Amino acid sequence: MSTEYNFDGKIVLITGVGGALGSAVANAFLKAGATVCGSDIVEPNTEDFLLSDPERVDFYRADFSDENDVAETIDAVVDEHGRLDYLLNIAGTWRGDTPIHETDAATFDFLFDVNLKTMFLASKHAIPHLRASEGAIVSVSARSSLEGGAGDGLYRASKAGVRLLTETIAAENLGSVRANAVMPSVIDTPMNREMMPDADFETWVDPKDIADVLLFLCSDAAAVTSGAAVPVYGEV
């Protein structure tokens, strides 16, 4: 069963818009009629930028682990469009296959910068504008953040932080800004297929299906949902 949403007149900011999930989320909101603003450290029309039609998105190149970049980007979005209704914190990455005692501190800094600091800074600077529009934030945590595990403990910890900050933002903004997170497992992306060529791709979740959940969480249909961590890893 397909569901249609109407986001006409709404302004959406998506971090990590050039990635596989960010691209799917951008396309879903464009289809629903939203004005989509996207930010990424990767430039459009490069090999790593996967959004097929970047000209449909108002693009702002920025490093969202840098607070000056974040503040300038969000101010520019509001200046140009007059408001901000939804923030989608999609920027993130994975590193693993190394036990804690063999992991260097630079990997810690990298994962917490990309996965958690970007979400914190984007939310910090967006919240005042989202309060004005009674908007919503949706961020990407991970199924693996629910427990420890061998090899990718820093990734799990950074994504657990996303979930906890989501709960905090929801509690601090009751009645004005809803904040939720989604928890994917392995997403069916070109990079993941390349990294795990022998895996069963049929059990992986299509980014488009996750994008549909983000649409729901931003819609009026989810008006009573805030502080949730929503599984989006299929039936596995």
Side-chain angles (χ1 to χ4, degrees):
M1 181 180 68
S2 62
T3 303
E4 293 188 2
Y5 297 96
N6 183 356
F7 285 89
D8 285 347
K10 301 298 185 181
I11 310 301
V12 180
L13 174 60
I14 301 169
T15 72
V17 73
L21 181 55
S23 299
V25 173
N27 286 330
F29 275 90
L30 286 167
K31 183 178 179 181
T35 296
V36 176
C37 303
S39 185
D40 208 306
I41 200 167
V42 178
E43 293 277 9
N45 303 315
T46 60
E47 182 179 355
D48 293 329
F49 197 93
L50 303 181
L51 185 61
S52 58
D53 192 4
E55 293 183 359
R56 297 181 66 199
V57 171
D58 290 347
F59 180 75
Y60 303 80
R61 187 188 182 282
D63 176 358
F64 263 57
S65 67
D66 182 295
E67 186 160 15
N68 287 333
D69 274 15
V70 175
E72 290 174 1
T73 299
I74 291 176
D75 284 348
V77 169
V78 175
D79 286 346
E80 291 177 27
H81 299 284
R83 59 187 291 138
L84 178 63
D85 296 285
Y86 308 109
L87 170 66
L88 292 307
N89 288 309
I90 311 298
T93 192
W94 181 88
R95 293 290 187 276
D97 293 333
T98 306
I100 292 297
H101 68 281
E102 295 178 4
T103 303
D104 57 51
T107 301
F108 179 98
D109 292 339
F110 175 72
L111 283 171
F112 275 77
D113 277 356
V114 176
N115 291 338
L116 185 55
K117 190 177 181 182
T118 59
M119 178 265 187
F120 158 66
L121 289 175
S123 301
K124 171 185 174 179
H125 287 274
I127 283 170
H129 304 291
L130 295 172
R131 283 177 171 172
S133 63
E134 297 187 350
I137 299 171
V138 184
S139 304
V140 179
S141 181
R143 181 183 188 179
S144 62
S145 74
L146 296 172
E147 59 184 4
D152 63 349
L154 297 183
Y155 170 79
R156 293 169 186 249
S158 66
K159 288 297 190 178
V162 170
R163 190 178 72 252
L164 291 172
L165 277 188
T166 295
E167 294 173 0
T168 298
I169 291 167
E172 291 177 346
N173 294 276
L174 292 173
S176 58
V177 179
R178 293 183 293 110
N180 293 290
V182 294
M183 297 189 299
S185 182
V186 183
I187 304 173
D188 192 1
T189 68
M191 181 179 292
N192 284 338
R193 289 194 178 216
E194 183 178 341
M195 291 172 59
M196 295 173 275
D198 298 325
D200 180 6
F201 305 146
E202 295 299 318
T203 64
W204 294 359
V205 176
D206 191 313
K208 295 177 182 178
D209 294 328
I210 298 175
D212 287 341
V213 177
L214 270 68
L215 280 173
F216 165 73
L217 289 172
C218 288
S219 75
D220 291 342
V224 296
T225 303
S226 191
V230 180
V232 288
Y233 40 77
E235 298 179 356
V236 295

